[in-house]
Amino acid sequence: MDTSANSAFEQLLGASAQTVETELRRLLSDHPRAGEVTRPLHLMQAARHGVLNGGKRLRPFLVLESASLFDAPPSAALRVAAALECVHCYSLVHDDLPAMDDDDLRRGQPTVHKAFDEATAILAGDGLLTLAFDILADDDTALPAATRLALISGLSRASGFGGMVGGQALDLAAEKSMPNEAGIITLQAMKTGALIRYACEAGAILGGGSDEDRERLHGFGAAIGLAFQLADDVLDLTADATTMGKATGKDAAAGKATLAGLHGIEWAQAQLRGLVAQANELLEPYGERAAVLMAAAHFVADRRS
Amino acid sequence: MDTSANSAFEQLLGASAQTVETELRRLLSDHPRAGEVTRPLHLMQAARHGVLNGGKRLRPFLVLESASLFDAPPSAALRVAAALECVHCYSLVHDDLPAMDDDDLRRGQPTVHKAFDEATAILAGDGLLTLAFDILADDDTALPAATRLALISGLSRASGFGGMVGGQALDLAAEKSMPNEAGIITLQAMKTGALIRYACEAGAILGGGSDEDRERLHGFGAAIGLAFQLADDVLDLTADATTMGKATGKDAAAGKATLAGLHGIEWAQAQLRGLVAQANELLEPYGERAAVLMAAAHFVADRRS
């Protein structure tokens, strides 16, 4: 894909990120919702620090774009997008903790436990995860009750023991005992893949798509999830800290096994091209309407940071 | 209340705890559910260590008993009870962490981060919280979709920023700057009160009770939540470590403000009697059917450990 196409895509992504951030800011206000006693200011500041930090909002973008493919109500899709981003951001806040990846910086800013303290970071993460389910259960999304339940069920399985959290546990274990290729694939399918698959599938759920639609979007999410991780591995092997805004070469230095590390950068780049082709093929039935999602697949595979 | 009545109640509570634990063991098995990739063994062992540890299961008991008051399906009530206990246990796992209360023992056993490690304890807690919402969203509970959503919404608000997690943040702040009486009341209403109120109200939600029923059970939960905390404060001032199975006098030693510490043990005991009377009065409309819940109020106020 040429540079100008990717730059047009980045404009779309940027505009979407602004919409998502406005919604996140509203949901993370100090003002308690019905049934809440009060929202401690310090805790909410920490939560906002962990969320409103200039992220690309790729997962919310995938929700919004896949939802539009099925003519889902945009305001309801925005809610789901924000809930998913709360889960993604809580996982970053907890992953950055000293007992986990021990990162001081994220996107060039102090991580939550550095800007506040460890206990507050743990609690801010817990609160963000809890809020995600509150947002999805909320009846002012105007979605049918069965749809909201399917979204909650999908998010919990994508992010819990058998999804993201489980993947993070496998990642910690991989530091002690290098997994084989199958082990790396499982780890990544859980740690980063599950939430990206859910982001894409959520649109089909939101819009009342058929089982076939759900499977197709799930497959699309699986392909770009793999591409996302491969591109990350390649970046880790090649990029410098200035481009990434975080420490790099870290996986390699920590002896972490990655597929790109195992098979080399050329193999990874061939894989990336294959995954983009596969992702696009899955969306062919939707024709021109899926053009933005197809561009997203290119963007994920080509990203430079 | 005389000792024999309390001992009869403890038998009921013990039998209920066994039922709840069987359900929790099933929900925390290594076997992945539909939509999950795999459940890492080490992580599930840590989660089970944090949950299947001989707790009294008071909150699940309150769910089950309040549900039976409204003729809710027992199997659905058991699910909700188990989900609530997952939230309670995750909060203990995270509270015990070095960055929080830094406890090595809970009920005489090593805490999760001591038996495993800090990172695993953080992830086990995250997974338990996530699982709670999975359990409530699950459609094999045979509850109407609107009921399941109301249960999810209630649990997320009771346990999130404006409930339990927020209360824990206020508790951390209270170590640095002693709160006044109103501050202590708010802190406790959030940290321990919110989940107990929800446990009682959940029965009315489960059984399709009226708004008045929900308010009455919410009020009952508020009264016994306050009693629970006051009894805990009194125990902390008087009990020894052998009875409690954990360090005691800890709040006082840490300079933590409690209402019992502020007003004295006699005042606290008079308050406890008043709260039990208030709790019982709220349940009078249900007559004999509420006898076990009334006994629970006595038990909470009188407990010796």
Side-chain angles (χ1 to χ4, degrees), chain A residues 2 45 82 87 115 182 204 214 228 239 269 274 303 305:
Chain A
D2 63 47
Q45 285 170 333
V87 170
R214 277 183 68 161
F228 185 88
Q269 279 162 345
R303 74 205 171 90
S305 67

Side-chain angles (χ1 to χ4, degrees), chain A residues 86-106:
Chain A
C86 285
V87 170
H88 174 58
C89 292
Y90 115 75
S91 80
L92 300 180
V93 173
H94 281 189
D95 284 3
D96 287 338
L97 286 166
M100 308 269 282
D101 292 352
D102 194 14
D103 275 314
D104 292 353
L105 288 178
R106 178 164 291 279

Side-chain angles (χ1 to χ4, degrees), chain B residues 175 178 233 236-237 247-258 261:
Chain B
E175 284 172 23
M178 181 97 70
D233 296 348
D236 190 77
L237 292 171
T248 54
K250 208 178 148 174
D251 295 348
K256 267 197 193 176
T258 69

Side-chain angles (χ1 to χ4, degrees), chain A residues 79-305:
Chain A
R79 279 307 176 82
V80 178
L84 177 54
E85 190 68 3
C86 285
V87 170
H88 174 58
C89 292
Y90 115 75
S91 80
L92 300 180
V93 173
H94 281 189
D95 284 3
D96 287 338
L97 286 166
M100 308 269 282
D101 292 352
D102 194 14
D103 275 314
D104 292 353
L105 288 178
R106 178 164 291 279
R107 299 195 185 96
Q109 295 296 314
T111 46
V112 177
H113 67 274
K114 294 305 276 185
F116 294 81
D117 56 54
E118 272 185 65
T120 305
I122 294 168
L123 291 171
D126 293 344
L128 286 169
L129 172 56
T130 312
L131 181 66
F133 293 103
D134 185 358
I135 295 168
L136 293 179
D138 206 337
D139 60 7
D140 69 358
T141 56
L143 290 170
T147 304
R148 281 185 274 152
L149 285 170
L151 288 163
I152 291 167
S153 202
L155 182 60
S156 57
R157 298 208 180 166
S159 62
F161 289 124
M164 185 185 71
V165 164
Q168 181 66 14
L170 293 178
D171 200 34
L172 290 169
E175 284 173 23
K176 285 166 201 156
S177 158
M178 184 96 70
N180 61 15
E181 180 155 7
I184 301 172
I185 290 170
T186 301
L187 185 168
Q188 295 182 344
M190 293 168 75
K191 189 184 172 189
T192 54
L195 223 52
I196 292 177
R197 291 195 298 277
Y198 174 77
C200 298
E201 195 179 351
I205 302 174
L206 265 159
S210 66
D211 285 354
E212 208 189 336
D213 287 321
R214 277 183 68 161
E215 274 167 41
R216 212 176 271 134
L217 269 291
H218 185 94
F220 173 80
I224 66 169
L226 282 170
F228 185 88
Q229 187 61 54
L230 270 176
D232 207 55
D233 296 347
V234 171
L235 276 169
D236 190 77
L237 292 170
T238 58
D240 64 46
T242 320
T243 322
M244 293 285 282
K246 63 175 182 181
T248 54
K250 210 178 149 174
D251 295 347
K256 268 198 191 175
T258 68
L259 294 180
L262 215 59
H263 294 290
I265 290 178
E266 281 186 27
W267 174 90
Q269 279 162 345
Q271 285 290 112
L272 280 168
R273 284 189 295 274
L275 286 165
V276 170
Q278 187 188 324
N280 286 352
E281 205 178 301
L282 278 160
L283 297 189
E284 260 171 22
Y286 307 108
E288 259 309 296
R289 303 192 61 190
V292 177
L293 279 179
M294 292 186 184
H298 283 281
F299 173 77
V300 163
D302 287 355
R303 74 205 171 90
R304 297 275 175 272
S305 67

Side-chain angles (χ1 to χ4, degrees), chain B residues 24 40 47 57 79 88 110 165 227 246 262 269 284 293 295:
Chain B
L24 285 166
R57 316 299 182 191
R79 279 307 176 80
H88 175 57
V165 164
K246 64 174 183 181
L262 214 59
Q269 280 163 342
E284 261 171 22
L293 278 179

